[in-house]
Amino acid sequence: MPKMIVSIDGVVIKEVQLTKDRTTLGRRPYNDIVIDNLAVSGEHAVLAMSGKAVEAAGDVNTLLLDKTTRSTSRT
C-alpha cells in the first residue's frame, strides 16, 4: 500500500497510508489529508491511484513522488 510522507524543509510532519482511489490534500479542513502550513494551498493536490502508480493533479504546485519532482497543474 502506498504511503505519503509529508515533509517541509526536510522535516517530516506527517506519514499517511493512501487507502483510497482518490485522496485530496491541502490546507482546508475538508481535504482527506490536511496540512496546516502556508506553503500548502487550500486545495493543493489530488492523488489518484492508477494501477500501481500515484498521479498528482491540482494547483500549480510541486510534489515529490517516489523521489521524483512532479509539477502539477489544474485541468
Side-chain angles (χ1 to χ4, degrees):
M1 178 174 304
K3 176 172 66 172
M4 185 175 109
I5 300 171
V6 180
S7 66
I8 296 177
D9 295 329
V11 177
V12 174
I13 59 171
K14 190 178 290 195
E15 292 188 30
V16 181
Q17 294 291 329
L18 299 177
T19 59
K20 298 167 70 175
D21 288 338
R22 182 180 183 279
T23 302
T24 61
L25 68 107
R27 214 171 52 241
R28 296 196 178 151
Y30 52 77
N31 286 291
D32 298 314
I33 300 170
V34 177
I35 304 169
D36 187 20
N37 187 292
L38 292 177
V40 177
S41 302
E43 297 170 354
H44 195 81
V46 175
L47 303 175
M49 300 298 289
S50 175
K52 292 184 179 181
V54 177
E55 297 179 11
D59 291 337
V60 177
N61 294 305
T62 302
L63 298 173
L64 188 67
L65 296 177
D66 294 327
K67 299 182 182 179
T68 303
T69 302
R70 312 268 177 97
S71 293
T72 64
S73 59
R74 187 176 300 274
T75 54

